[in-house]
Amino acid sequence: MKDTLKPGDKVRFSFRVPAEKTVPHLYPEAAEFREMPTVFATGFMVGLMEWACLKVLEPHLDEGEGSLGVHIDVSHTAATVPGQTVTVDAECTSVNGRRIGFSVRAHDGIDVIGEGRHERMVIAWSRFVARVNDKARQARAEAILHGTGEPNG
Protein backbone atom coordinates (compact mmCIF):
# COMPACT_ATOMS: atom_id res chain seq x y z
CA MET A 1 0.00 0.00 0.00
CA LYS A 2 1.22 3.47 -0.80
CA ASP A 3 1.81 5.86 2.10
CA THR A 4 -0.64 8.37 0.63
CA LEU A 5 -3.78 7.32 2.56
CA LYS A 6 -4.46 9.63 5.51
CA PRO A 7 -7.22 10.00 8.10
CA GLY A 8 -9.71 12.49 6.68
CA ASP A 9 -9.62 11.05 3.14
CA LYS A 10 -13.22 10.53 2.10
CA VAL A 11 -15.63 9.59 -0.65
CA ARG A 12 -19.31 10.25 -1.26
CA PHE A 13 -20.80 7.34 -3.18
CA SER A 14 -24.39 7.04 -4.46
CA PHE A 15 -26.41 4.03 -5.59
CA ARG A 16 -30.00 3.79 -6.81
CA VAL A 17 -31.66 0.87 -5.01
CA PRO A 18 -33.17 -1.73 -7.37
CA ALA A 19 -35.84 -4.24 -6.31
CA GLU A 20 -33.14 -6.95 -6.29
CA LYS A 21 -31.47 -5.31 -3.26
CA THR A 22 -34.52 -5.70 -1.00
CA VAL A 23 -34.98 -8.09 1.92
CA PRO A 24 -36.74 -10.90 -0.02
CA HIS A 25 -33.67 -11.11 -2.29
CA LEU A 26 -31.10 -11.32 0.51
CA TYR A 27 -31.40 -15.08 0.95
CA PRO A 28 -34.12 -16.15 -1.48
CA GLU A 29 -33.93 -19.70 -0.14
CA ALA A 30 -35.17 -18.44 3.25
CA ALA A 31 -38.97 -18.30 3.42
CA GLU A 32 -38.66 -15.88 6.36
CA PHE A 33 -36.91 -13.31 4.15
CA ARG A 34 -39.25 -13.86 1.18
CA GLU A 35 -42.20 -12.94 3.42
CA MET A 36 -40.70 -9.59 4.52
CA PRO A 37 -41.41 -6.18 2.95
CA THR A 38 -39.52 -5.14 -0.18
CA VAL A 39 -37.28 -2.53 1.47
CA PHE A 40 -33.50 -2.09 1.17
CA ALA A 41 -31.93 -4.96 3.11
CA THR A 42 -29.47 -4.34 5.93
CA GLY A 43 -27.06 -6.83 4.33
CA PHE A 44 -27.06 -4.86 1.09
CA MET A 45 -26.66 -1.57 2.99
CA VAL A 46 -23.57 -2.99 4.69
CA GLY A 47 -22.22 -4.05 1.30
CA LEU A 48 -22.84 -0.54 -0.06
CA MET A 49 -20.95 0.95 2.90
CA GLU A 50 -18.05 -1.43 2.21
CA TRP A 51 -18.12 -0.44 -1.47
CA ALA A 52 -17.78 3.24 -0.50
CA CYS A 53 -14.78 2.36 1.69
CA LEU A 54 -13.24 0.49 -1.24
CA LYS A 55 -13.54 3.70 -3.24
CA VAL A 56 -11.61 5.58 -0.52
CA LEU A 57 -8.83 2.96 -0.62
CA GLU A 58 -8.67 2.45 -4.39
CA PRO A 59 -6.09 5.12 -5.33
CA HIS A 60 -3.78 4.10 -2.48
CA LEU A 61 -3.37 0.41 -3.29
CA ASP A 62 -0.43 -1.11 -5.11
CA GLU A 63 -0.79 -3.54 -8.03
CA GLY A 64 -2.16 -6.89 -6.86
CA GLU A 65 -3.51 -5.51 -3.58
CA GLY A 66 -7.05 -5.33 -2.32
CA SER A 67 -8.80 -5.22 1.01
CA LEU A 68 -11.13 -7.34 3.07
CA GLY A 69 -13.73 -6.20 5.58
CA VAL A 70 -12.70 -7.36 9.05
CA HIS A 71 -15.13 -5.46 11.28
CA ILE A 72 -18.47 -3.71 10.90
CA ASP A 73 -20.50 -1.92 13.55
CA VAL A 74 -23.40 -0.02 12.01
CA SER A 75 -27.01 0.83 12.70
CA HIS A 76 -29.84 0.55 10.17
CA THR A 77 -32.49 2.97 11.37
CA ALA A 78 -34.82 3.78 8.47
CA ALA A 79 -36.42 1.91 5.59
CA THR A 80 -35.57 2.75 1.98
CA VAL A 81 -37.75 1.74 -0.95
CA PRO A 82 -36.61 0.63 -4.41
CA GLY A 83 -35.99 3.59 -6.68
CA GLN A 84 -34.54 5.78 -3.94
CA THR A 85 -30.87 6.72 -4.13
CA VAL A 86 -28.72 5.94 -1.12
CA THR A 87 -25.64 8.10 -0.63
CA VAL A 88 -22.84 6.83 1.59
CA ASP A 89 -20.21 9.11 3.06
CA ALA A 90 -17.13 7.07 3.95
CA GLU A 91 -14.17 8.67 5.71
CA CYS A 92 -10.85 7.14 6.68
CA THR A 93 -10.44 7.58 10.44
CA SER A 94 -7.25 5.58 11.06
CA VAL A 95 -4.35 3.92 9.30
CA ASN A 96 -2.63 1.32 11.48
CA GLY A 97 -0.30 -0.51 9.12
CA ARG A 98 -2.55 -2.54 6.85
CA ARG A 99 -5.63 -2.10 9.09
CA ILE A 100 -7.74 0.87 7.96
CA GLY A 101 -10.62 2.38 9.97
CA PHE A 102 -13.61 4.22 8.49
CA SER A 103 -16.68 6.07 9.60
CA VAL A 104 -19.69 5.47 7.36
CA ARG A 105 -23.06 7.21 7.08
CA ALA A 106 -25.88 6.42 4.63
CA HIS A 107 -28.77 8.73 3.67
CA ASP A 108 -31.65 8.06 1.25
CA GLY A 109 -32.53 11.69 0.50
CA ILE A 110 -35.16 11.73 3.25
CA ASP A 111 -33.60 9.98 6.26
CA VAL A 112 -30.22 8.96 7.61
CA ILE A 113 -30.69 5.21 7.20
CA GLY A 114 -27.51 3.95 8.85
CA GLU A 115 -24.17 4.88 10.30
CA GLY A 116 -21.26 3.48 12.21
CA ARG A 117 -17.73 2.25 11.70
CA HIS A 118 -15.97 -0.25 9.50
CA GLU A 119 -12.45 -1.68 9.33
CA ARG A 120 -10.66 -3.21 6.35
CA MET A 121 -7.36 -5.05 6.06
CA VAL A 122 -5.18 -4.41 3.01
CA ILE A 123 -3.91 -7.70 1.58
CA ALA A 124 -2.04 -9.14 -1.40
CA TRP A 125 -4.63 -11.07 -3.40
CA SER A 126 -2.21 -13.82 -4.44
CA ARG A 127 -1.26 -14.66 -0.83
CA PHE A 128 -4.88 -14.53 0.32
CA VAL A 129 -6.15 -16.80 -2.45
CA ALA A 130 -3.33 -19.29 -1.83
CA ARG A 131 -4.14 -19.45 1.91
CA VAL A 132 -7.87 -19.85 1.29
CA ASN A 133 -7.23 -22.58 -1.27
CA ASP A 134 -5.10 -24.43 1.30
CA LYS A 135 -8.16 -24.31 3.56
CA ALA A 136 -10.39 -25.49 0.70
CA ARG A 137 -8.12 -28.51 0.20
CA GLN A 138 -8.32 -29.32 3.93
CA ALA A 139 -12.13 -28.99 3.81
CA ARG A 140 -12.27 -31.06 0.60
CA ALA A 141 -14.04 -28.14 -1.03
CA GLU A 142 -13.53 -26.50 -4.40
CA ALA A 143 -10.76 -23.96 -4.79
CA ILE A 144 -11.83 -20.34 -4.96
CA LEU A 145 -11.26 -18.04 -7.90
CA HIS A 146 -9.94 -14.52 -7.83
CA GLY A 147 -12.69 -11.96 -8.53
CA THR A 148 -11.60 -11.84 -12.16
CA GLY A 149 -12.84 -15.41 -12.62
CA GLU A 150 -9.28 -16.61 -13.17
CA PRO A 151 -8.21 -19.81 -11.40
CA ASN A 152 -5.70 -19.35 -8.58
CA GLY A 153 -3.53 -21.52 -6.38
Side-chain angles (χ1 to χ4, degrees):
M1 186 173 82
K2 300 174 180 85
D3 65 0
T4 53
L5 179 64
K6 305 289 184 226
D9 289 352
K10 56 187 154 188
V11 161
R12 175 169 280 174
F13 186 70
S14 296
F15 180 78
R16 190 168 190 264
V17 176
E20 296 79 28
K21 300 298 186 216
T22 60
V23 178
H25 296 275
L26 188 59
Y27 276 97
E29 43 292 272
E32 297 87 348
F33 283 136
R34 287 194 316 268
E35 295 167 2
M36 294 180 82
T38 55
V39 294
F40 191 40
T42 301
F44 290 126
M45 182 192 73
V46 168
L48 187 59
M49 290 172 161
E50 289 194 76
W51 192 1
C53 293
L54 289 171
K55 293 293 188 186
V56 175
L57 280 174
E58 194 172 51
H60 307 285
L61 298 176
D62 290 320
E63 183 77 25
E65 285 184 327
S67 67
L68 300 168
V70 294
H71 185 86
I72 188 88
D73 181 10
V74 297
S75 62
H76 190 178
T77 55
T80 300
V81 298
Q84 284 187 277
T85 296
V86 173
T87 299
V88 177
D89 290 307
E91 181 174 346
C92 175
T93 57
S94 63
V95 179
N96 296 314
R98 297 179 303 119
R99 190 178 200 102
I100 314 300
F102 298 90
S103 66
V104 289
R105 184 173 191 262
H107 196 286
D108 67 9
I110 297 172
D111 294 309
V112 172
I113 66 166
E115 57 190 330
R117 63 187 185 89
H118 177 48
E119 291 180 356
R120 300 193 69 76
M121 186 71 71
V122 174
I123 52 95
W125 284 128
S126 59
R127 279 186 50 194
F128 176 79
V129 169
R131 285 178 52 199
V132 171
N133 281 335
D134 283 343
K135 185 175 185 175
R137 280 188 283 283
Q138 290 175 28
R140 296 189 173 120
E142 284 191 44
I144 68 162
L145 301 176
H146 189 104
T148 61
E150 297 296 316
N152 290 288

